[in-house]
């Protein structure tokens, strides 16, 4: 099978590698343009661009799949387009250009969590399971017929970053099997069924903690926004990023938003129960254990308030 691959972030790299080492041929890789990264704004290629060039593959950099890209793809005479987290929409006429159209690897079990942040939203919602789906790309967002899907449990301590790494690996295997099935004619597409939910891209405000929520819910949100955009609260006018936390088991929790030292643990009251802060990153300082952070604030304080 002659393939055009489109993807950009690290989560798409396992799929690129799996296809590159399969019996199929990757004619070109479409990825987003190099972008400024870090405090110095160093122009940096996407992880997919880096790996594709290491594999000796042709790379097409584009933030929009415009007429130029369509012409380049048309000239390749590909059998199939494969997209994994490219970061842009495939529209007509490109959508119909490869002979077999496009398939997409999505990191949820569709139709639950259509959209840009399915792994994060699944964790934030407290879902027990998620998975990966390979489906036919259509103009409507993540709505095409499914060729293959796999379930994956969400552990109580999974962050979005860790779960996405796992799904990227199992999803790559699922994707290659799907392409194999399309080539030998054994692949069977079926319509999506079930309730549709959407997973919009996260914003910085999605990481702001509302301490009136129950501790379990706060913990889910923290895990869902880790590593990006990150969970945070404001304490004594200082923004404190919460890198790691756990649901505490104190019988009597502090009031919502009140931070106290109990034994060696730094705990915060919520709307139901308490949350233990394990690692934090105060603005202007290095990341540290929560106990070390507590020792650095007003030593006379027995409690502070987060907002």
């Amino acid at each position: 099978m002659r393939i055009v691959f489109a993807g950009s972030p690290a989560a798409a790299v396992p799929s690129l590698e799996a296809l590159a080492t399969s019996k199929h041929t990757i004619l070109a890789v479409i990825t987003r343009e190099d972008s400024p990264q870090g405090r110095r704004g160093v122009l940096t290629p996407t992880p997919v661009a880096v790996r594709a060039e290491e594999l000796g593959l042709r790379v097409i950099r584009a933030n929009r799949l415009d007429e130029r890209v369509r012409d380049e793809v048309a000239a390749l005479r590909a059998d199939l387009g494969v997209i994994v987290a490219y970061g842009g929409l495939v529209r007509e006429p490109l959508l119909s250009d490869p002979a077999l159209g496009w398939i997409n690897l999505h990191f949820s079990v569709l139709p639950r969590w259509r959209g840009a942040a399915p792994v994060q939203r699944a964790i934030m919602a407290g879902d027990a399971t998620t998975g990966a789906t390979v489906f036919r790309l259509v103009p409507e967002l993540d709505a095409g017929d499914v060729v293959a899907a796999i379930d994956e449990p969400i552990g109580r301590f999974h962050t979005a970053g860790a779960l996405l790494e796992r799904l990227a690996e199992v999803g790559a295997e699922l994707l290659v099997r799907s392409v194999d099935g399309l080539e030998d004619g054994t692949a069977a597409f079926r319509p999506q069924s079930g309730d549709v939910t959407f997973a919009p891209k996260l914003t910085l405000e999605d990481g702001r903690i509302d301490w009136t929520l129950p501790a379990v819910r706060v913990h889910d949100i923290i895990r869902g926004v880790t590593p990006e955009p990150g969970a945070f609260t404001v304490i004594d006018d200082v923004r404190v990023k919460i890198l790691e936390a756990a649901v505490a088991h104190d019988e009597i929790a502090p009031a919502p938003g009140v931070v106290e030292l109990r034994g060696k643990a730094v705990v915060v009251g919520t709307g139901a129960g308490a949350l233990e802060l394990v690692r934090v990153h105060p603005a202007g300082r290095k990341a540290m254990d929560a106990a070390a952070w507590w020792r650095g604030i007003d030593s006379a304080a027995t409690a502070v308030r987060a907002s």
Side-chain angles (χ1 to χ4, degrees), residues 9 74 97 145 165 183 213 243 277:
D97 189 270
D145 290 349
E165 286 183 7
E183 183 178 55
L213 297 174
L243 304 180
L277 303 184

Side-chain angles (χ1 to χ4, degrees), residues 125-136:
D127 289 1
T129 61
T130 186
T133 302
V134 179
F135 69 99
R136 190 188 305 280

Side-chain angles (χ1 to χ4, degrees), residues 48-111:
V48 163
V50 172
R51 188 65 182 118
E53 289 177 342
E54 290 173 347
L55 292 168
L57 299 171
R58 175 181 177 182
V59 176
I60 301 171
R61 287 171 165 83
N63 288 344
R64 292 178 63 251
L65 301 181
D66 53 17
E67 185 176 351
R68 173 185 68 85
V69 177
R70 193 266 177 181
D71 289 343
E72 289 193 57
V73 172
L76 295 171
R77 299 186 181 277
D79 299 312
L80 180 69
V82 174
I83 188 165
V84 184
Y86 160 68
L89 298 177
V90 181
R91 302 184 187 277
E92 296 291 4
L94 181 60
L95 190 60
S96 301
D97 189 270
L100 297 176
W102 290 76
I103 58 172
N104 188 103
L105 170 64
H106 186 77
F107 299 119
S108 79
V109 179
L110 293 170

Side-chain angles (χ1 to χ4, degrees), residues 214-232:
V216 171
R217 176 94 170 103
V218 173
H219 189 228
D220 289 341
I221 292 170
I222 291 170
R223 295 185 300 117
V225 299
T226 299
E228 294 294 339
F232 73 94

Side-chain angles (χ1 to χ4, degrees), residues 49-252:
V50 172
R51 188 65 182 118
E53 289 177 342
E54 290 173 347
L55 292 168
L57 299 171
R58 175 181 177 182
V59 176
I60 301 171
R61 287 171 165 83
N63 288 344
R64 292 178 63 251
L65 301 181
D66 53 17
E67 185 176 351
R68 173 185 68 85
V69 177
R70 193 266 177 181
D71 289 343
E72 289 193 57
V73 172
L76 295 171
R77 299 186 181 277
D79 299 312
L80 180 69
V82 174
I83 188 165
V84 184
Y86 160 68
L89 298 177
V90 181
R91 302 184 187 277
E92 296 291 4
L94 181 60
L95 190 60
S96 301
D97 189 270
L100 297 176
W102 290 76
I103 58 172
N104 188 103
L105 170 64
H106 186 77
F107 299 119
S108 79
V109 179
L110 293 170
R112 186 159 179 81
W113 303 125
R114 294 178 180 176
V119 176
Q120 298 93 324
R121 297 292 181 184
I123 295 175
M124 293 168 73
D127 289 1
T129 61
T130 186
T133 302
V134 179
F135 69 99
R136 190 188 305 280
L137 212 60
V138 296
E140 185 181 350
L141 179 66
D142 298 339
D145 290 349
V146 172
V147 65
I150 188 170
D151 293 330
E152 183 72 19
I154 300 177
R156 289 302 306 162
F157 297 97
H158 262 137
T159 63
L163 182 56
L164 185 56
E165 286 183 7
R166 171 61 182 162
L167 291 174
E169 294 294 336
V170 299
E173 298 172 6
L174 187 72
L175 180 63
V176 172
R177 292 199 300 271
S178 298
V179 177
D180 289 345
L182 286 169
E183 183 178 55
D184 62 25
T186 60
F189 287 88
R190 57 174 175 80
Q192 296 183 26
S193 62
D195 295 333
V196 176
T197 59
F198 291 96
K201 183 179 179 179
L202 298 182
T203 68
L204 289 175
E205 280 303 302
D206 284 308
R208 184 187 291 272
I209 298 303
D210 178 358
W211 296 107
T212 66
L213 297 174
V216 171
R217 176 94 170 103
V218 173
H219 189 228
D220 289 341
I221 292 170
I222 291 170
R223 295 185 300 117
V225 299
T226 299
E228 294 294 339
F232 73 94
T233 191
V234 177
I235 299 174
D236 289 343
D237 296 324
V238 176
R239 178 183 168 121
V240 179
K241 195 169 183 178
I242 302 169
L243 304 180
E244 185 180 351
V247 176
H249 299 289
D250 297 52
E251 292 184 4
I252 302 176

Side-chain angles (χ1 to χ4, degrees), residues 33-45:
E33 297 171 2
D34 299 0
S35 61
Q37 300 291 322
R39 291 184 177 181
R40 296 184 179 181
V42 177
L43 205 59
T44 305

